[in-house]
Amino acid sequence: NTMDWQNLRHFLAVAESGSLAGAARRLQVSKATVWRHVRALQEFLGVTLLETHAGGQLLTPAGERFLADIEGVNRTIETACQSLLTTPAPIAGEVRVTAPELIGSVVIRGLSALHERHPGIALELVTGSPATSLAARDTDISLRFEEPRGKGFTRVAAVPVPFAVFAAPDYIKQFGVPKKIDDFSGHRLIDFEHSLAQLAPTAWRQRGGQNADIAFRSNSPYLRLAAARAGIGLALLSESFVAGDPGLCRVLDSRLVGSLELLVLVSHQLRREPRVIAVRDFLCDLLTAVAAPPGSSGRASP
């Protein structure tokens, strides 16, 4: 047999109040109920814990020893119960995130979910191409395609970012679509600015877009997207960055083009801050949700 916590609870109430009536008021039960639980505890232990006197209930020597042994347990249980009932402090504060521009647009689309979960958090998003340096002022979390050179940040996740080749319907009507990643003969290409060539999947860097005429270059994914939408040429863009744009069609999907690994880095000093943990989890959930490549044909889809 095991000890019944209710029996112990009623005994403690009598010992602390000094009477059955006091225990009954504290527990909001009848005196008979209190005595029934105390008697059951005494029978379980085989000892007398309380004696009845004119002024109420007094502890026997055995009862005093027993109370001394269990008082610490009682405080531990009460603390645990109070911890469960106490509403935790809301998570609030500003969190500074650095990210490539094409990832910034994905974060913005999911921002309302973060505010619903933690309305007290203010997200500061600093974008750049390539990703803003980790040395930026007070960076809490950094999303990067490149491994960090300096110290002070902990890698907490790596999420694949699928890329694909997109074109406007008018471009496709005029020029058709390439059949292979390594033969763009007769096509015009919207390309990265030269310094950003490394920000493309390995398969594309090695053989993508060969024999194409370069029609436009830019370091801005927004300008490359706008150029593709205007029918200037074919553009390599992140699947999640395009995300259902009705002005573009996917002509080569990520199974051919490949993906880049996006690193989620958290300031080592701030990694245990509740506000930083909340944004870290939000970003990891969001980026993982959009990482799966969409269908391989038709208009671009989210």
Side-chain angles (χ1 to χ4, degrees), residues 83-286:
S83 176
L84 288 175
L85 295 174
T86 301
T87 302
I91 297 175
E94 188 171 282
V95 179
R96 184 179 173 90
V97 178
T98 61
E101 277 190 286
L102 63 90
I103 298 301
S105 64
V106 176
V107 174
I108 293 301
R109 289 198 296 270
L111 197 54
S112 61
L114 174 64
H115 287 159
E116 288 176 7
R117 194 183 307 175
H118 302 291
I121 286 181
L123 185 67
E124 181 180 354
L125 183 62
V126 181
T127 62
S129 296
T132 305
S133 168
L134 289 180
R137 175 182 61 84
D138 300 328
T139 298
D140 301 319
I141 300 173
S142 185
L143 308 177
R144 295 169 60 91
F145 289 119
E146 311 94 339
E147 289 283 353
R149 294 180 180 177
K151 297 181 180 179
F153 281 79
T154 300
R155 175 173 168 171
V156 297
V159 182
V161 177
F163 279 71
V165 175
F166 295 90
D170 288 345
Y171 177 90
I172 294 173
K173 287 179 183 178
Q174 184 175 356
F175 295 96
V177 297
K179 302 300 182 184
K180 298 187 296 183
I181 187 175
D182 57 357
D183 186 6
F184 275 41
S185 298
H187 284 282
R188 301 185 308 204
L189 184 63
I190 298 164
D191 208 355
F192 295 96
E193 184 263 331
H194 289 289
S195 66
L196 300 182
Q198 78 279 8
L199 293 181
T202 301
W204 180 265
R205 292 203 310 271
Q206 291 177 344
R207 60 185 195 281
Q210 292 182 14
N211 306 317
D213 295 323
I214 304 299
F216 178 70
R217 290 185 186 274
S218 177
N219 68 330
S220 168
Y222 291 99
L223 291 180
R224 295 196 300 274
L225 176 70
R229 195 186 291 125
I232 302 301
L234 300 161
L236 176 73
L237 296 164
S238 159
E239 296 266 21
S240 55
F241 180 68
V242 175
D245 190 311
L248 291 175
C249 298
R250 187 185 304 102
V251 297
L252 291 176
D253 69 21
S254 59
R255 289 175 295 185
L256 295 173
V257 176
S259 301
L260 276 180
E261 190 175 62
L262 181 71
L263 307 181
V264 181
L265 308 168
V266 177
S267 168
H268 189 72
Q269 289 184 332
L270 299 173
R271 70 190 188 282
R272 292 190 176 91
E273 285 286 331
R275 59 186 173 83
V276 174
I277 292 172
V279 174
R280 176 204 68 189
D281 292 346
F282 154 72
L283 290 172
C284 289
D285 291 346
L286 175 66

Side-chain angles (χ1 to χ4, degrees), residues 61-101:
E64 290 179 352
R65 291 196 304 272
F66 184 63
L67 178 64
D69 288 338
I70 67 171
E71 275 188 317
V73 174
N74 182 49
R75 285 194 297 271
T76 299
I77 293 173
E78 287 183 346
T79 300
C81 292
Q82 187 62 34
S83 176
L84 288 175
L85 295 174
T86 301
T87 302
I91 297 175
E94 188 171 282
V95 179
R96 184 179 173 90
V97 178
T98 61
E101 277 190 286

Side-chain angles (χ1 to χ4, degrees), residues 1-4 7 38-47 66:
N1 293 335
T2 58
M3 184 178 297
D4 188 327
N7 295 342
V38 170
R39 186 175 58 200
L41 178 62
Q42 291 183 136
E43 292 174 355
F44 175 82
L45 295 173
V47 296
F66 184 63

